[in-house]
Amino acid sequence: MTAAVATAVALTLGASACSSSDSGDGGGSKGGSSAKADAALTSVVNASTKKGGTENFEISDVPDSLDPGNTYYGWVQNFSRLYARSLTTFKPAAGKAGLEVVPDLAEGLGVPSDGAKTWTYKLRKGLKYDDGTPITSKDVKYAVERSNFAPEALSNGPTYFKAHLLGGDKYKGPYKDKSKDGIASIETPDDTTIVFKLKDAFADFDYLATFNQTAPVPQAKDTGASYVQHIVSSGPYKFQSYEEGKSATLVRNTNWDPATDPIRKALPDKVNIRFKVNQTTIDNNLMSDNITVDGAGTGVAPETQPKVLTNAKYKAQLDSSYAGATGYAGLNLHVKPFDNIDCRKAVQWGLDKASVQAAAGGDPKGDVATTLLPPTVNGYTKFDLYPSAGNKGDVAKAKDSLKACGKPNGFTTNLSARSDRPAEMAMATAIQASLKKIGITVNIKSYPSGKYFSNFAGVPSYVHEHDLGIIMTAWGADWPTGFGFLDQIINGSAIKPSGGNNVSELNDPAINKALNEGIANTDATARTKAWGEVDKLVMENASVVPLVYRKNLLMRPTSATNVTVTQAYLGMYDYLLMGSAK
């Protein structure tokens, strides 16, 4: 059943995310010097099988964490596959093929039973860590326990396993529960078998298994939050060095056996990554061919855009990919006056989304959004509950809503945005100007992206104390289905003390129920239909303001090899495939 579901979803999504030409897993690849704009959307650009060289990444801020069990940023999910193997993963391939879920640590996809309430995986034989010790199913179980049940140490990642495993609401996590058995609903009858027992049917489980939370962690080597300093590798690369907030260097893991790993080619000898590099500096380094890739995968800064779009050489190196993501503003239900639905609707009606799109970089960086689900995600339904001419807002209806919420003269609120993301800051400024026209005064508060969710916008107590009524964010699917997109940003069970992404703190019983019933439905057609209906419930609640369906204006330097866009990881380049000719 799971293989059929995955294939059907991949075909559906690929048709909407990619243009008509598709070279599958690399056929029809193009050389770097002759490749055209958008070539990497459907083919592998500058294909190479040559081993060696150094790959250089740069990032405008710091990661939330490079620990596979303590991250939620899409680029880290993509990057960490170099050193952390999960039970399943997305096939490293061009076009539609890149949405196919394939076995990774597991020798096959999950075997469902009990109406998709039980899922069983068998690990490949011969798997080893970088120190040569065997990888076992118990290490995978432990990885899930530490990543989902220890918020006191690891707060950044999602908690799908905690929400859906039997007894997930009772288990205290491996740092508090000192029993050797761990959570009873993950069984390891032998060193190569792992069985997940769920409260309800979960038709997307093979997608969930792609999360690097299933990357094995040996319990004896785990040091909680400081594990990031000494990560034990299960992939083709291991850490040679890691300097918090500055850089990391990966080198070959000599105990990685390619015979156990049919999907990784592991071409570069070394991978360097530098943190906290100014975005325009990163853009200039791409243009000068001084680095291999902008690791964040969100595209060039707005101020760089004119330079690359008007220069024929640079334009040929661009790929404008749909990110499978929506940039939006969350209205926090516990920050007055957004506890009143009419005050929320005033923002919905009054916002000039056309100006916000222009601030983000215009058409090359995204389309105006009217729904939370983007068009490239399975379950998207086109609708607009707050329409206006030219997407410029409806001042009259906004003022009617202000009267209805008891604020006829408007009100003042704070808005949070990420300081090192120029496009997001520009969008925040556009929102500020737009809402001023209807009497809402917006004060912008900026924070660094690396700690945005763990310390600020994802911490309810901080949000309430600092009156962050509007929270700028963007979201891409954890996996490319409606549930994989929606659950962690609108389900009440996703609200956490820190590191949360349900920034509105939406906890509506009808929405929670619709989500849980949808994922338990093993009928793929009915399940897909359910996600559009959930999206409408959220928009009726008015706690989320969709802004843009995001595009990434990516740039590939001429020395980068095996470059292709993956829709499985938010329309950035596939880091498992990439290499460098340098």
Side-chain angles (χ1 to χ4, degrees), residues 477-489:
D478 285 344
W479 57 87
T481 72
F483 186 86
F485 189 98
L486 293 168
D487 184 68
Q488 291 295 295
I489 57 174

Side-chain angles (χ1 to χ4, degrees), residues 85-87 103-107 122-124 127 135 140 214-216:
R85 296 178 62 183
S86 46
L87 284 173
D104 191 355
L105 283 179
E107 62 183 18
K122 293 284 289 186
L123 301 191
R124 301 178 191 271
L127 299 168
I135 294 170
V140 177
T214 68

Side-chain angles (χ1 to χ4, degrees), residues 3 29 60 77 106 158 190 292 316 323 332 366 378 423 483 494 552 567:
S29 57
S60 64
Q77 294 279 330
D190 57 55
T292 315
N332 191 281
N378 181 264
F483 186 86
N552 303 324
Q567 286 298 326

Side-chain angles (χ1 to χ4, degrees), residues 385-513:
L385 298 188
Y386 309 96
S388 64
N391 295 305
K392 291 185 175 296
D394 189 319
V395 171
K397 287 186 176 179
K399 290 189 173 181
D400 287 344
S401 294
L402 286 172
K403 291 177 185 175
C405 83
K407 302 285 185 181
N409 299 317
F411 53 86
T412 298
T413 191
N414 294 327
L415 176 153
S416 71
R418 285 169 277 198
S419 56
D420 58 294
R421 297 197 173 183
E424 186 165 288
M425 290 299 296
M427 292 166 70
T429 302
I431 289 173
Q432 182 184 54
S434 173
L435 293 183
K436 189 172 183 63
K437 296 176 183 176
I438 61 170
I440 298 177
T441 299
V442 174
N443 299 314
I444 297 173
K445 309 293 182 181
S446 61
Y447 305 96
S449 66
K451 302 299 179 184
Y452 188 63
F453 296 103
S454 59
N455 289 9
F456 308 110
V459 181
S461 59
Y462 185 94
V463 169
H464 305 162
E465 183 180 348
H466 292 83
D467 291 323
L468 300 182
I470 305 176
I471 297 174
M472 295 291 290
T473 188
W475 189 254
D478 285 344
W479 57 87
T481 72
F483 186 86
F485 189 98
L486 293 168
D487 184 68
Q488 291 295 295
I489 57 174
I490 63 168
N491 197 335
S493 67
I495 299 171
K496 302 193 296 182
S498 67
N501 288 276
N502 183 345
V503 295
S504 299
E505 293 184 67
L506 179 58
N507 190 11
D508 184 294
I511 293 172
N512 297 342
K513 182 172 183 286

Side-chain angles (χ1 to χ4, degrees), residues 560-577:
T561 63
N562 298 320
V563 185
T564 194
V565 168
T566 171
Q567 286 298 326
Y569 291 95
L570 311 182
M572 64 185 75
Y573 293 131
D574 191 323
Y575 299 153
L576 265 196
L577 279 178

Side-chain angles (χ1 to χ4, degrees), residues 125 178 342 364 489 571 576:
K125 294 178 175 60
K178 299 301 182 180
D342 288 304
I489 57 174
L576 265 196

